[in-house]
Amino acid sequence: MVGSWTSSSALLLIAIAAIQSVRADTPSGRANHGCALLRSTIYCYGGAERTVAGATTALSSNLFYSLDLSEEKSISDLAGAWQEYTAGNVGSNFYFAMTAVPELNIFVIDGGRGTGQTGYTTQTPTVTFNASGSGSWNTGINPGGHPLVDTHQAVSDNSSTVYLCGGRSSDINANTAGPMQFPTQMTLFNTPQSTWSSTPATLRSVSSQTRLHHKAALGIDGRTIYYVGGIYPSRPMDASGASYYYSHVNMTDILVYDTIQASWSTRTTSGSIIPTPRMDHTLTTKPNTGELIVYGGTQLDSSLPIDDYFYILDPQSMTWSNRTLGTSAAQGAGPRHGHAAVLAGNSTLFIIFGSTGDSDSALSALDIENWSWLSTVPAVVVPESEGDQQGGSPGNGQSQGEQPDSGSSVAPGTIAGAVVGAVAGVAIIGALVFFFLRRRRNQNGETVASSDDDEAVAARRLKALEAEHHSPAPPYSDIEPPSSRQFLPSYDNTAAGKPDGSSSSVSDGQVQRLVMAPVKPDGA
Ligand SMILES: *[C@@H]1O[C@H](CO)[C@@H](O)[C@H](O)[C@H]1NC(C)=O
Ligand SMILES: *[C@@H]1O[C@H](CO)[C@@H](O)[C@H](O)[C@H]1NC(C)=O
Ligand SMILES: *[C@@H]1O[C@H](CO)[C@@H](O)[C@H](O)[C@H]1NC(C)=O
Ligand SMILES: *[C@@H]1O[C@H](CO)[C@@H](O)[C@H](O)[C@H]1NC(C)=O
Ligand SMILES: *[C@@H]1O[C@H](CO)[C@@H](O)[C@H](O)[C@H]1NC(C)=O
Ligand SMILES: *[C@@H]1O[C@H](CO)[C@@H](O)[C@H](O)[C@H]1NC(C)=O
């Protein structure tokens, strides 16, 4: 009797699991992806799988996911509630720039590394995704001759203008034939008009450094963009200029762009705290104070995150502070890099995916009012003015409105849902009986214990990896062979038909690696 109940329950559970895997999922591990919040949904695109040994492979499938935040949920439920957008994507890509344009309910993706070494697979250098209705891509944007780069940053202001800054020339349209390019002008994308422009003031007027792998955030005044961290090209490796040595930007050196005056300036932080230089971190503006929150990051020639992963910059006093994040019942994101940080409302900062050495699909949420990790995430409430149509309002079920279920399959989905609903009802009863019987046998408390174990195992593992791979102060000598320095996957210039072959020091591996020059104290 018990046996037949449990086996039929198990079958029904399998049926439920199959249904669930279509509707909600945990994406595979990834880093160097992009995420944006529109209304009450987070959208994440692309990324690369990374390993501690340094391999970085662009994802080729499961590229586009969304997460509905319109209801209060536990962080563990949310982590398994991603929905894959199956009605089309724009190809493999990572190290692109991405920003939400909330007024239009769209996000913009610019540039990126495409499939990694030789290709760029999105149809155009710039695409937008319109999250209204069942969602749609616009791949028909004329690039207007703007620099085609990766590892740059995009920030949007309240007039739907996107500001693109930094990065380096990518393999798009084979424009790496010749010296590596590092844009020094701000590129402006007028999203409603789909037009491009640039401002006359160049970065060079205030700084000897251009930047890549840096991060940007718009201040609470709505007009000042802050750039923090990253690396800069310190000198070309040879006369061709096709590849460069790179150095870390000092965390005391803050670049500032004024969107109204179209001008650059630099600020230098003061005070005793100076974060370790970093790249592939995140930068988020805290809405009610204007503080800039730095999370995570890594360094050149390392696959591991840096240990001092959390800082706050006060842009008024230009001083850094740090603090220990409260953990309470929730597990925090810990040190990582290549993650995305998305602010929802005034106080919930989501830290999404990224790499602790190997890339993972972790989701965490930090309350930035009391600086503690959340185990339950409040619903994201969309202001009346933004919440047009049915989408995004609190209480919407997952089959409603903004969810990017594919447009044409909405009706079949609904029908399937009704059938499934009846089956699921029976299944749930079976499942309850199954769990009830099981629980009586096992006593309880097993899930709590296992998550503690995971944490301990992960911590031990990270320690072990650190012992193995983390050279204390990375010795950046120029004479090490390029193959051992693989931290920034570079371009296969031979594939672009580059007429070089001269530089014997790098041509053997044909993929040129970015390497770091010795850092002089002044960072020059
Ligand atoms: C987004 O799509 C909706 C239709 O679903 C359309 O009304 C709206 O104009 C589009 N927005 C943009 C910025 O293209
Ligand atoms: C947009 O931001 C600018 C600069 O802070 C401000 O002057 C302007 O009033 C804002 N406009 C709207 C519509 O919020
Ligand atoms: C950054 O700059 C500060 C002040 O200019 C200096 O004391 C510090 O050593 C520099 N740090 C690095 C890593 O170069
Ligand atoms: C903050 O940073 C300083 C060094 O800059 C370090 O000694 C201190 O332990 C850090 N505090 C926290 C809370 O991480
Ligand atoms: C954020 O804070 C501001 C100012 O305190 C408040 O007006 C606004 O309603 C808050 N927004 C949310 C979503 O809580
Ligand atoms: C932090 O604040 C949030 C609300 O902003 C609250 O839900 C949470 O319980 C607080 N956590 C702690 C540890 O006080």
Side-chain angles (χ1 to χ4, degrees), residues 196-391:
W196 298 91
S197 58
S198 63
T199 54
T202 72
L203 209 46
R204 289 273 183 212
S205 63
V206 295
S207 171
S208 60
Q209 304 167 357
T210 61
R211 295 195 181 189
L212 50 159
H213 293 271
H214 54 310
K215 290 295 161 193
L218 186 69
I220 44 169
D221 61 3
R223 62 181 280 181
T224 308
I225 305 176
Y226 298 93
Y227 294 89
V228 175
I231 58 173
Y232 65 96
S234 47
R235 62 191 166 87
M237 285 176 77
D238 59 37
S240 77
S243 48
Y244 271 77
Y245 294 102
Y246 294 86
S247 299
H248 295 121
V249 169
N250 195 317
M251 293 294 278
T252 58
D253 297 342
I254 312 299
L255 262 182
V256 178
Y257 184 79
D258 184 324
T259 60
I260 308 276
Q261 298 192 338
S263 65
W264 288 102
S265 57
T266 54
R267 304 282 302 274
T268 305
T269 65
S270 58
S272 57
I273 297 182
I274 304 175
T276 307
R278 66 199 60 210
M279 55 190 262
D280 296 347
H281 49 297
T282 53
L283 187 69
T284 309
T285 305
K286 182 173 173 177
N288 291 333
T289 64
E291 290 165 301
L292 299 169
I293 299 167
V294 168
Y295 197 94
T298 185
Q299 292 203 319
L300 286 163
D301 297 343
S302 171
S303 58
L304 293 172
I306 48 185
D307 292 333
D308 56 330
Y309 60 90
F310 188 79
Y311 287 92
I312 300 162
L313 176 64
D314 179 343
Q316 297 306 314
S317 63
M318 273 291 155
T319 51
W320 287 104
S321 59
N322 60 351
R323 57 171 67 240
T324 302
L325 301 174
T327 50
S328 62
Q331 187 171 339
R336 61 181 52 236
H337 64 95
H339 54 289
V342 173
L343 184 74
N346 286 328
S347 64
T348 310
L349 182 64
F350 286 91
I351 304 294
I352 304 171
F353 315 146
S355 176
T356 57
D358 297 312
S359 50
D360 65 29
S361 54
L363 177 72
S364 306
L366 180 70
D367 186 305
I368 59 170
E369 292 302 336
N370 54 24
W371 307 111
S372 65
W373 295 103
L374 293 168
S375 48
T376 300
V377 180
V380 173
V381 179
V382 178
E384 225 22 67
S385 57
E386 278 180 44
D388 64 0
Q389 309 156 347
Q390 74 280 56

Side-chain angles (χ1 to χ4, degrees), residues 323-520:
R323 57 171 67 240
T324 302
L325 301 174
T327 50
S328 62
Q331 187 171 339
R336 61 181 52 236
H337 64 95
H339 54 289
V342 173
L343 184 74
N346 286 328
S347 64
T348 310
L349 182 64
F350 286 91
I351 304 294
I352 304 171
F353 315 146
S355 176
T356 57
D358 297 312
S359 50
D360 65 29
S361 54
L363 177 72
S364 306
L366 180 70
D367 186 305
I368 59 170
E369 292 302 336
N370 54 24
W371 307 111
S372 65
W373 295 103
L374 293 168
S375 48
T376 300
V377 180
V380 173
V381 179
V382 178
E384 225 22 67
S385 57
E386 278 180 44
D388 64 0
Q389 309 156 347
Q390 74 280 56
S393 58
N396 261 352
Q398 54 182 2
S399 61
Q400 283 270 317
E402 308 279 323
Q403 285 309 317
D405 286 339
S406 76
S408 55
S409 68
V410 165
T414 311
I415 294 161
V419 174
V420 162
V423 175
V426 176
I428 286 164
I429 293 165
L432 286 174
V433 170
F434 176 76
F435 280 128
F436 178 69
L437 291 171
R438 231 177 81 108
R439 173 152 294 222
R440 283 209 349 202
R441 262 181 266 136
N442 298 4
Q443 311 293 1
N444 46 25
E446 65 286 271
T447 58
V448 176
S450 78
S451 75
D452 284 351
D453 284 354
D454 285 351
E455 192 170 3
V457 168
R460 271 199 304 279
R461 199 155 149 268
L462 184 60
K463 281 272 179 294
L465 290 173
E466 268 169 354
E468 248 177 82
H469 292 277
H470 207 141
S471 34
Y476 300 111
S477 77
D478 295 352
I479 48 173
E480 269 187 61
S483 55
S484 70
R485 305 173 158 280
Q486 60 186 136
F487 234 69
L488 296 174
S490 195
Y491 310 103
D492 183 351
N493 287 323
T494 56
K498 218 180 145 322
D500 109 9
S502 49
S503 51
S504 60
S505 66
V506 291
S507 61
D508 53 334
Q510 84 268 51
V511 176
Q512 290 163 356
R513 306 296 183 190
L514 303 190
V515 292
M516 185 177 165
V519 181
K520 293 196 205 119

Side-chain angles (χ1 to χ4, degrees), residues 104 106 130 132-133:
L104 303 178
I106 71 168
N130 181 344
S132 297

